[in-house]
Amino acid sequence: MSPEGLAILENLEKVAAERRSRADDSLLDAHTRAVKTYQHERFAHTYVDLMAQPRYADASRFFLEQLYGPQDFTDRDSQFARVVPGLVRIFPHELVSTVRSLSELHALSEEMDTAMGRRLQSSRVDALAYARAWQEVGRPQVRARQIELMLNVGGALDRYTRNPILRHSLRLMRGPARAAGLAALQGFLESGFDTFRAMKGGTEFLATIAARERQLAALLFAVDLRSDRATTELSGLP
């Protein structure tokens, strides 16, 4: 198998390992789900202005539902793991590279969400509890990598919209992808492609995402939770 295929499988195994650890600990599972739900709400709160703009609304929802959603992708990921050899064989190299970035982002997110869940004192997550867990987990390089991967996926989808041959190839792959058990992945790629094409250029949108996510990460690492000003500094969070 190609190096990219092996990397995708390795990332999917990391995701499965995180889920197994939570399946054996109902309290950890509840806390981690609370983290995911809070992050979903936080993203919606941070980008409420973009969601109100017709040009960016669908792209914002795509990020919210596909990259920040609290939903369980166990079935989808199990499907991917079974058919990675077919994925590498059927899909163009550019798309496989994007799937590799997506799988790494997924693995890092599951790892960090579990780590955050371990630090929560309850399943009630507010801005202060989230910031406290964030600081206790630390690992700023991983946080930076998560943002980088998210932007890589978005940037790739934006580039694909300028490649009509790739879009045509993607449409032609619907039948083979379904036959190979890759219908969910096919749907993700087509949805992302169509969303970015309708936006007619995602440079400004992705720059806004990059600036806000990096600013938020810096704030969460820097805020002094012992200070009376902590609540005020975190007032932009839900």
Side-chain angles (χ1 to χ4, degrees), residues 112 134-135 137-147 217 221:
M112 298 301 277
W134 179 286
Q135 291 185 5
V137 171
R139 303 179 69 185
Q141 296 88 349
V142 175
R143 295 300 188 185
R145 180 62 174 163
Q146 284 180 286
I147 296 171
F221 279 120

Side-chain angles (χ1 to χ4, degrees), residues 15-35:
V15 171
E18 292 297 325
R19 289 177 176 151
R20 286 194 296 269
S21 71
R22 299 197 299 258
D24 294 334
D25 186 335
S26 60
L27 186 61
L28 174 61
D29 183 61
H31 286 186
T32 304
R33 288 180 183 276
V35 168

Side-chain angles (χ1 to χ4, degrees), residues 24 38 45 76 83 141 149 151 175 209 213:
D24 294 334
Y38 179 85
H45 181 77
R76 185 194 70 179
V83 297
Q141 296 88 349
L149 288 166
L151 296 172
I209 296 282
E213 293 304 302

Side-chain angles (χ1 to χ4, degrees), residues 161-177:
T161 66
R162 297 187 287 276
N163 187 336
I165 295 176
L166 188 60
R167 180 66 180 108
H168 182 65
S169 297
L170 187 60
R171 285 177 176 166
L172 292 177
M173 287 189 302
R174 286 177 184 170

